[in-house]
Amino acid sequence: MSPDLPPVVPSVTAELVGALPPRLRKRLDAGVTKLVARPAVRDGDTVRIAVDDDTDLVLHAPGGAVTRADAIRCGCLLAPDCLHRAAAASAAPVADEAPAGDPEKPETPDEPETAPAAEAGDDAANAGRRAAARAVSDAAAAVLEAGTDGAGAVLQAELLHAAHTARLAGLPRLSAAAVAVVTGVRAARSGDPGYRLTDLAGALAGVLGVAHRLPHATGPELTGLRGTARQPYRPDGSLRLYGLFSEPVLTATGYAGAVTWTADAEGRLYTVSDVAPGGPARATGAADRAVRIGDTSLTHRELSRAGLAVSGATVSPTGRLGAGAGVRAVRASGVAWRAEPLDRLWAVPAAEQVSRALNGGRDLLFLEVTPVGAVRETAGDCLLADCDGLSVLLTTAHDDPSLPCRENLRLLAAAGRGRLRIVARLVPGPFPRALLFAAEHPADPDARVDLGLDRLQHADLPGGVVAPPDRVLPAGDEAPLHLLRRRVHQAVSGGRRVLAFAGDRPGDGARLRRAGLATAGDLLDDLHAAAADRSRDVFGRLLPADTDRFGRSWLAAAVYTDAVERALCADAWGATATGAGGARPPATPIH
């Protein structure tokens, strides 16, 4: 995936790839690789790529995204049904076909919620939704069957086509979930530093889970599974907000910018965002651009430490402030984290905050910790901190070297100061872990540092500080859930074939059962059996694999693993997790 190209809506990619003859489809992945290596030149809404000395490929993206197939033009002799156009669409980030529904892009405040194509009682609409769900399930199962190693541009386009069909059938949640899988697969195949195998596994489980449940759902469950294509704003009158922190946004979909978090006097959270197509440079630069709300000239960096008085406010369900014509905002004074009303955010016990996150609430954690030292892990250094007797691993929110996250974390580990207030996001797992976003300044408790935007210096540390040695966490008696989780993740990256060839390691199922995880042992056996199940025809030739059976076996293992991990996470923090199994905390807090 190339961040230099404008985002392309799924229907365009599906159309261009579908128009290719079979011989060109076989060459599409090689064409994508070759095209990504060519420089792209942007001029306003147009991006031009020199395919060779005599041929140019042009992408026209009014409004920032390519929304029509004829907006991608090529000068080669095979155009319009050429490899270059399909390769460009396959290499570009995936755009949202309903811009107002994208949680990372600006929304129109008073736009009505998009209604489904027909009411749930309409038989024709129900049949259309079932067919769309089946198409998404089949396409997602095919991606899982191949794994990221084998899910090339053709399989991605088939899933994007199914996503487009689901959207037209009034299933925006399923459509968005399918697009998220394609985005994750592209990030994996392109070596994107922001790619996380765990995130892609979650996306696959999400799309297969929704597709599986939709045909049988009724009433409120069906409404929830359908989702909405837009996030409607509601009036919220006048607000007095206090800045908390700003974080950079850098996504695998090719969007970048900044989000500033604020709170009102009751502790409710609100955000102001500036996110658009771009890369790391936009993520760092957005902090010094004025927030897009009312007539205020405050930048995101300034708002994170100041305040805002808003009249005629409109707010989305995720707490994002609208920027409509009727909204007025002026600068107001801010307060320190240890002053009211922000102080009350840290007064909530950590276990209660984690319980809220695991049960579907906001997943930001406001903790007071004592840095212990650095912990070296395969993925990089972490900060080990004590939180009221509980050891917590704090990791960076972004690994991109252009952002100061990792170096700031190392300096905090070396600061040697006592108690620090921090803001982090829960990472569910068997050991207390969170992504670190902001912290009190090591030398001044009345100041704070946005760890993804501000750069700490050695001079900022208290005098005479010596960095504590790297530490190694003691091995605990962790339940061997990793034996099942590893196979779930191996399937995502290597596909069914990896599990079919690997077979079950001797004793894995028995070890799970001895640990009291009999269901995990059964699921592991079934997953391997589904992977190895290949029938032959009368001539002894292998028939195509049953992707549906393998997909269902993998989904059962993934949902079970997620539910147990949530329970282990709750136990590690001393919290409770009562939500539905397989549910994950939302990406942004619920207002």
Side-chain angles (χ1 to χ4, degrees):
M1 183 171 59
S2 174
D4 297 327
L5 298 177
V8 178
V9 298
S11 57
V12 169
T13 304
E15 178 180 345
L16 293 178
V17 174
L20 291 177
R23 65 181 182 83
L24 290 184
R25 284 192 174 200
K26 295 178 181 178
R27 296 166 49 192
L28 182 55
D29 289 330
V32 171
T33 302
K34 183 178 180 180
L35 189 72
V36 169
R38 304 294 296 176
V41 179
R42 185 180 295 270
D43 181 14
D45 293 334
T46 300
V47 174
R48 187 178 302 273
I49 303 173
V51 177
D52 54 41
D53 294 339
D54 302 316
T55 306
D56 281 350
L57 180 70
V58 179
L59 294 86
H60 186 54
V66 176
T67 58
R68 297 171 55 90
D70 58 12
I72 303 179
R73 301 187 300 273
C74 183
C76 76
L77 296 177
L78 295 179
D81 297 331
C82 66
L83 183 69
H84 304 129
R85 298 175 71 219
S90 300
V94 184
D96 189 348
E97 292 191 273
D102 190 326
E104 293 179 334
K105 288 186 282 185
E107 298 167 296
T108 304
D110 299 314
E111 197 163 11
E113 178 179 331
T114 298
E119 293 300 320
D122 188 323
D123 291 338
N126 284 331
R129 282 193 282 270
R130 285 195 297 269
R134 180 75 259 177
V136 171
S137 179
D138 290 344
V143 169
L144 177 65
E145 156 87 9
T148 57
D149 296 341
V154 173
L155 285 180
Q156 295 169 29
E158 290 173 355
L159 184 51
L160 289 177
H161 176 71
H164 178 63
T165 301
R167 175 177 171 271
L168 295 180
L171 301 173
R173 178 179 173 184
L174 185 61
S175 176
V179 169
V181 170
V182 174
T183 297
V185 169
R186 290 184 178 180
R189 292 174 62 87
S190 65
D192 190 314
Y195 167 71
R196 295 290 182 272
L197 177 59
T198 301
D199 293 342
L200 179 54
L204 271 167
V207 71
L208 289 172
V210 172
H212 175 74
R213 291 158 57 196
L214 262 169
H216 315 289
T218 58
E221 183 188 12
L222 176 60
T223 300
L225 290 173
R226 280 200 314 240
T228 57
R230 304 184 189 274
Q231 293 189 353
Y233 280 78
R234 60 174 176 78
D236 208 11
S238 297
L239 298 173
R240 174 64 168 92
L241 303 176
Y242 302 86
L244 274 168
F245 72 100
S246 287
E247 62 167 309
V249 175
L250 189 59
T251 74
T253 60
Y255 288 89
V259 173
T260 298
W261 294 80
T262 65
D264 66 8
E266 283 72 43
R268 294 178 298 180
L269 300 183
Y270 299 81
T271 61
V272 181
S273 64
D274 179 2
V275 180
R282 193 180 195 285
T284 55
D288 295 313
R289 283 193 287 269
V291 298
R292 293 187 293 182
I293 178 171
D295 298 323
T296 179
S297 60
L298 277 172
T299 66
H300 283 269
R301 195 185 303 273
E302 291 170 337
L303 177 57
S304 69
R305 292 158 175 81
L308 204 63
V310 185
S311 61
T314 55
V315 184
S316 80
T318 58
R320 189 166 61 186
L321 293 170
V327 180
R328 298 288 181 268
V330 296
R331 179 175 186 151
S333 59
V335 298
W337 281 358
R338 293 183 179 268
E340 286 292 341
L342 298 184
D343 181 70
R344 66 183 59 190
L345 294 170
W346 279 267
V348 180
E352 185 177 330
Q353 296 187 51
V354 172
S355 296
R356 177 181 60 205
L358 292 175
N359 295 312
R362 68 183 187 221
D363 56 355
L364 281 187
L365 303 179
F366 300 88
L367 307 176
E368 192 160 337
V369 302
T370 301
V372 176
V375 172
R376 194 168 298 279
E377 293 188 322
T378 303
D381 292 344
C382 301
L383 172 60
L384 180 63
D386 176 84
C387 180
D388 294 328
L390 183 69
S391 294
V392 179
L393 274 180
L394 301 173
T395 61
T396 57
H398 296 281
D399 289 327
D400 194 285
S402 64
L403 300 177
C405 304
R406 191 159 296 284
E407 184 59 29
N408 283 340
L409 184 140
R410 293 193 186 101
L411 290 175
L412 279 180
R417 188 191 149 184
R419 305 284 284 177
L420 280 175
R421 285 191 170 182
I422 64 169
V423 182
R425 176 166 289 138
L426 176 67
V427 178
F431 189 89
R433 182 185 292 264
L435 301 177
L436 186 58
F437 289 110
E440 287 179 328
H441 196 284
D444 183 2
D446 290 331
R448 61 248 201 186
V449 181
D450 295 333
L451 297 170
L453 298 171
D454 304 327
R455 285 191 182 273
L456 281 171
Q457 305 294 331
H458 283 281
D460 294 326
L461 304 184
V465 168
V466 177
D470 288 351
R471 296 170 182 259
V472 178
L473 290 180
D477 296 328
E478 178 185 342
L481 188 65
H482 64 275
L483 298 175
L484 180 60
R485 185 196 309 115
R486 180 177 61 226
R487 297 307 187 193
V488 169
H489 288 176
Q490 281 181 338
V492 174
S493 57
R496 179 197 57 79
R497 188 172 304 177
V498 170
L499 297 191
F501 289 159
D504 188 13
R505 289 191 176 185
D508 279 359
R511 184 179 173 188
L512 286 166
R513 293 181 181 91
R514 283 196 303 270
L517 299 174
T519 301
D522 294 343
L523 289 171
L524 181 60
D525 293 342
D526 184 68
L527 183 58
H528 281 292
D533 183 18
R534 294 291 301 275
S535 301
R536 296 179 180 270
D537 63 15
V538 294
F539 299 105
R541 295 172 299 193
L542 282 173
L543 295 172
D546 186 348
T547 58
D548 184 60
R549 182 197 169 186
F550 180 67
R552 284 185 281 108
S553 296
W554 181 89
L555 177 61
V559 169
Y560 172 88
T561 303
D562 183 78
V564 175
E565 283 183 336
R566 281 164 38 84
L568 292 174
C569 177
D571 181 69
W573 288 88
T576 57
T578 59
R584 293 179 181 271
T588 52
I590 301 298
H591 171 69

